Amino acid sequence: MPSKIKQAGIAREEGTKQTYPYLAGIDIGFGITKFLSNYVTDGDNFPSTAMSGRAEGASGFSGRIHKDELLVTIDGETHYVGLQALQVDMGASNRTRDRNRAKDPVSRVLFKTAIAMSVPHEEGEYDVFVVTGVPNEDYDLNIRADLEEFLTGSYEIDFHVGYDRHQKKPVTIRKKINIVGNLVLRQPEGSVTYDSFVFDPVNFIINNVKHKNLGVIDIGHGTTDAALFINGTIDDRRKDHIISTVATTAVYDALRKLIVAKFDSMGKRIKVTDEDLDQAIRSKEI
């Protein structure tokens, strides 16, 4: 277990009550935002998209926090997040190619929402230690440093969950999140952590390592990252033990060009979206 997480796991006393920070693993993917914690032990997700909204837009919501009804206010700005953003703007994309998540406004909203979704869905103040990852080739760049700087401090997030039974008074659940620390890993390290440890509400994570030597290939939308591990620790003795190369985006770009050229030869002009290619690959039909 990384030492930074060990330090975060030390109990602190508040009067006679001992409290622990929540440990949250966050992955802002190009299509899906995933979150896992010692509260959300099975993990959950929502589409990686957000757009400007209005607090009044929670009409018809269930009255509780739900990943499919995300309308949040952070730092005075209100956003539809995930599925709600896609439903409000049917033309919106749940993909972003901005890899510097800390500088991308949408990714910042996704991070703060996912962290808040990783703790109990009750109004209150929560201490959270955040673990996330970046592609291998971004690990030694400012991208990691920017992310570490962003994942500090405290913020408040209001979840607009609907209206009272008379449909007159809006209902809001406010959480204050204190980020007490963070750990930014190479993406293959996150895959090993997920495979080799089990989340437990009391003990954070339980070591469950099964393999001495382990090779991990993480095929993402922007990059494919690979790494060799020995006893659960990344082997960085040789450069070719940690690599990044092209991934889904490059394949999609090549396939898109072929399809456009094919239809152009037939005298037809089309626009091919990533979602079109998703469907084509899943159905094996174009």
Side-chain angles (χ1 to χ4, degrees), residues 259-277:
I259 294 173
V260 170
K262 177 67 174 179
F263 276 85
D264 186 64
S265 68
M266 298 165 56
K268 299 179 180 180
R269 295 186 179 276
I270 64 169
K271 180 180 180 181
V272 183
T273 67
D274 281 355
E275 289 74 19
D276 293 332
L277 296 176

Side-chain angles (χ1 to χ4, degrees), residues 33-89:
T33 291
K34 286 84 72 178
F35 54 97
L36 177 72
S37 72
N38 50 322
Y39 173 71
V40 186
T41 55
D42 292 329
D44 215 336
N45 64 81
F46 53 80
S48 291
T49 188
M51 61 177 296
S52 180
R54 299 179 301 109
E56 296 80 10
S59 178
F61 282 13
S62 61
R64 59 189 178 90
I65 295 176
H66 192 278
K67 68 170 186 174
D68 293 337
E69 298 178 339
L70 292 175
L71 178 60
V72 301
T73 296
I74 306 169
D75 299 328
E77 296 184 355
T78 302
H79 311 270
Y80 290 104
V81 178
L83 184 62
Q84 280 299 311
L86 294 178
Q87 290 179 342
V88 170
D89 183 359

Side-chain angles (χ1 to χ4, degrees), residues 37-201:
S37 72
N38 50 322
Y39 173 71
V40 186
T41 55
D42 292 329
D44 215 336
N45 64 81
F46 53 80
S48 291
T49 188
M51 61 177 296
S52 180
R54 299 179 301 109
E56 296 80 10
S59 178
F61 282 13
S62 61
R64 59 189 178 90
I65 295 176
H66 192 278
K67 68 170 186 174
D68 293 337
E69 298 178 339
L70 292 175
L71 178 60
V72 301
T73 296
I74 306 169
D75 299 328
E77 296 184 355
T78 302
H79 311 270
Y80 290 104
V81 178
L83 184 62
Q84 280 299 311
L86 294 178
Q87 290 179 342
V88 170
D89 183 359
M90 298 302 292
S93 174
N94 63 332
R95 301 265 167 81
T96 174
R97 296 195 182 190
D98 193 334
R99 284 165 56 173
N100 192 338
R101 299 290 195 236
K103 300 297 185 182
D104 174 41
V106 170
S107 295
R108 292 168 70 93
V109 172
L110 296 176
F111 256 118
K112 290 186 174 182
T113 302
I115 293 169
M117 290 291 288
S118 301
V119 301
H121 295 333
E122 302 172 359
E123 190 153 305
E125 183 172 355
Y126 302 94
D127 293 348
V128 186
F129 187 98
V130 179
V131 181
T132 191
V134 295
N136 288 336
E137 64 184 16
D138 294 345
Y139 187 76
D140 294 320
L141 304 178
N142 286 337
I143 288 177
R144 180 181 60 140
D146 290 343
L147 196 52
E148 289 173 335
E149 181 180 359
F150 167 63
L151 294 174
T152 58
S154 302
Y155 66 93
E156 291 185 346
I157 178 170
D158 289 342
F159 288 86
H160 306 286
V161 298
Y163 286 78
D164 64 9
R165 61 190 182 93
H166 301 295
Q167 293 297 306
K168 291 184 177 180
K169 184 178 180 180
V171 178
T172 300
I173 298 175
R174 174 172 294 179
K175 299 182 185 183
K176 181 177 181 181
I177 305 297
N178 303 313
I179 301 179
V180 298
N182 69 72
L183 179 64
V184 179
L185 302 169
R186 297 177 180 88
Q187 285 182 342
E189 291 181 280
S191 300
V192 168
T193 300
Y194 184 81
D195 181 66
S196 303
F197 292 88
V198 178
F199 273 82
D200 181 271

